[in-house]
Amino acid sequence: FAAAFRARVIDNGGDALNYFAQNAGGAILKQEMDSHGEKFGFVTSTGHEYSYVGNYLGHFLLLNLLLDLVEKGGGRISVASSNAHSLATRDLDSLLPMTGSNARRSLADEPGFLKSVEQYGNTKLLQIHMCFELQRRLGPNSNVTIVPLTPGYVNTNIGQVDRSGRKKIGKIGNFLAQPPMEGAKTTLHALLSPSMGGTTGYFLQPYWSPLHRDSPWS
């Protein structure tokens, strides 16, 4: 994907990326069966747990593959995390990609809603650390701004269906969620607001961040 995207940028006469929003991901909240009637392990061919790959490793890899384009454009990067990072394990060594038990475990071996929620929190904590570590490595003279953020609970199709296509969240959940246009404002603020340019150390939140009270376009 990264190679194809880079080729597309070049084919269209460009050589830089000005805005890069990372917003993919998901959560596995219940045990499911595979086509053979066995518990689906949600483990990749590399031995990593699905949500660990989808929410963290994939973001990490894509960010590194396209970072030079962002640097050429003096661009901004936003990474959609979650307040669920507060539910993450306190055993940070368990989150290391090569040896960490939480990075390489199978949810089929440890089923349960609470374990799944903790794993989701683990991946969201890793996203935040990824951003802060990149800020540190780029240094104070970098022309790249990278901002971890939480959009809040947004009413989108993400998390609405399981692997079979059945809906998972009912009308109450949708009612509590904010509309997509409202949920997008935090990401837009990170990418467009002049007040965010060159900032470090922020975890941008729609409900509590004073920076977000300004219009993204002001």
Side-chain angles (χ1 to χ4, degrees):
F1 172 82
F5 181 82
R6 181 185 296 273
R8 183 176 179 181
V9 170
I10 295 173
D11 289 344
N12 283 278
D15 63 351
L17 188 59
N18 300 113
Y19 304 105
F20 184 11
Q22 291 197 314
N23 193 48
I28 301 166
L29 300 180
K30 72 172 186 176
Q31 182 60 60
E32 297 180 29
M33 300 297 177
D34 62 20
S35 59
H36 303 290
E38 302 291 335
K39 288 183 178 179
F40 191 78
F42 295 105
V43 176
T44 68
S45 60
T46 61
H48 293 96
E49 189 271 326
Y50 264 34
S51 57
Y52 186 91
V53 173
N55 293 349
Y56 170 57
L57 280 187
H59 289 67
F60 179 88
L61 177 60
L62 186 59
L63 180 54
N64 278 275
L65 290 174
L66 297 178
L67 181 58
D68 64 309
L69 292 180
V70 182
E71 290 180 308
K72 287 180 181 178
R76 296 194 189 187
I77 303 167
S78 68
V79 179
S81 180
S82 169
N83 282 327
H85 75 276
S86 61
L87 303 174
T89 177
R90 297 300 182 261
D91 180 9
L92 297 184
D93 286 341
S94 74
L95 303 181
L96 295 174
M98 298 306 296
T99 59
S101 58
N102 278 303
R104 307 184 71 86
R105 75 181 185 182
S106 167
L107 291 180
D109 299 329
E110 298 181 84
F113 179 80
L114 294 180
K115 285 290 184 182
S116 297
V117 169
E118 180 190 75
Q119 183 69 343
Y120 180 74
N122 291 340
T123 63
K124 293 302 173 178
L125 177 65
L126 286 166
Q127 288 179 324
I128 298 170
H129 281 302
M130 175 185 73
C131 293
F132 289 159
E133 177 61 15
L134 181 56
Q135 291 174 359
R136 186 188 71 81
R137 294 193 182 200
L138 291 176
N141 298 320
S142 173
N143 64 348
V144 173
T145 299
I146 177 168
V147 182
L149 59 91
T150 174
Y153 182 25
V154 186
N155 185 9
T156 69
N157 288 331
I158 297 175
Q160 297 288 327
V161 296
D162 60 19
R163 283 166 51 84
S164 67
R166 293 189 298 266
K167 288 182 67 68
K168 293 196 295 186
I169 299 178
K171 293 182 179 179
I172 295 178
N174 291 337
F175 175 76
L176 295 174
Q178 58 185 330
M181 288 295 291
E182 192 69 23
K185 286 184 178 180
T186 313
T187 294
L188 291 172
H189 188 91
L191 295 175
L192 301 176
S193 175
S195 65
M196 293 303 299
T199 58
T200 60
Y202 285 103
F203 177 53
L204 200 61
Q205 305 176 66
Y207 308 119
W208 302 286
S209 173
L211 289 174
H212 183 64
R213 292 174 186 166
D214 297 328
S215 167
W217 296 279
S218 64

